[in-house]
Amino acid sequence: MKLTVSTHKLFGYGSTLRTAKRLSEEAVRIVERSVAGRMPDVQVVLTGERNLAEVSTAAEWETAGCTDKRMQARALRDAKRYARDVAGRSIPLADGGVLIVVNVDQHPNEAVFAITLVHELVHAMQTSRKGVRDRLVAGLRHDLGVEKQSRRWDREHARCLEAEEKEAYGSEYLAGRLVPAAAA
């Protein structure tokens, strides 16, 4: 398992980057012990809401193999529309790793950052489970119009995503081990 923490078009956030590196290393250890699965290679990218959409959609396009410029433009527009409300996203990468993109504008302190980080790391652990990565990539390919799936498959995929989201929210209490203030 390899962990890298970096920034994207984020200047003057050196102390935030150092804090993120420290918290990420601790969070990976805590989540690995507490959640079923195996931690893949993780890339954590800190960015603002303006650049969150372009970083996450670029990773989605690469993973899904989307080359249609119109679909890319539509996906980028949709991502920009929702970027203000997103605290973080985890995206499976083509090489088998997971990209976690964190919106630093949504995190006023370490406690909130720790909660988001644990939530997204749980999603990273979920991708190592049997069939989950393939289903997530097929979902990206379906959303980007590369390979359409049936409505039945789409409903089942939505149910699985909801269950995975519930598990991630249920595991956010682990952030209290990272930063005691997150437990409050």
Side-chain angles (χ1 to χ4, degrees):
M1 199 287 304
K2 190 172 112 183
L3 174 70
T4 57
V5 182
S6 62
T7 60
H8 176 75
K9 293 186 180 177
L10 201 61
F11 307 104
Y13 281 82
S15 63
T16 305
L17 180 62
R18 285 188 294 277
T19 302
K21 284 182 180 179
R22 180 179 50 83
L23 287 176
S24 296
E25 291 170 359
E26 294 174 26
V28 165
R29 281 194 295 271
I30 290 170
V31 171
E32 269 185 322
R33 288 186 210 134
S34 305
V35 178
R38 193 178 132 282
M39 186 65 76
D41 291 342
V42 177
Q43 298 175 16
V44 178
V45 176
L46 307 174
T47 188
E49 78 179 46
R50 290 182 179 204
N51 300 310
L52 179 95
E54 66 187 47
V55 171
S56 59
T57 54
E60 288 175 345
W61 299 335
E62 182 182 342
T63 300
C66 179
T67 57
D68 184 8
K69 296 296 181 188
R70 289 180 300 171
M71 288 305 291
Q72 288 179 351
R74 183 184 304 159
L76 185 58
R77 273 194 312 275
D78 290 343
K80 283 181 179 178
R81 188 176 310 129
Y82 299 113
R84 184 179 313 122
D85 302 326
V86 175
R89 291 197 57 204
S90 60
I91 301 150
L93 295 174
D95 65 357
V98 174
L99 173 69
I100 296 176
V101 185
V102 179
N103 182 355
V104 294
D105 298 333
Q106 293 280 333
H107 301 92
N109 55 35
E110 281 186 13
V112 178
F113 180 76
I115 291 170
T116 300
L117 190 61
V118 166
H119 181 97
E120 298 305 329
L121 284 171
V122 169
H123 286 311
M125 290 287 282
Q126 290 168 345
T127 62
S128 70
R129 296 176 187 162
K130 185 177 181 182
V132 174
R133 173 176 289 285
D134 296 334
R135 183 179 46 79
L136 291 174
V137 171
L140 283 174
R141 292 175 65 82
H142 173 75
D143 293 342
L144 291 171
V146 175
E147 181 182 356
K148 288 294 184 182
Q149 301 290 338
S150 67
R151 280 188 239 134
R152 182 179 190 176
W153 182 92
D154 198 30
R155 285 192 304 272
E156 180 62 29
H157 177 62
R159 277 194 292 272
C160 290
L161 286 177
E162 187 176 329
E164 290 165 359
E165 200 62 37
K166 282 182 182 178
E167 180 187 5
Y169 279 118
S171 299
E172 286 182 356
Y173 74 93
L174 296 171
R177 296 183 190 170
L178 247 96
V179 179

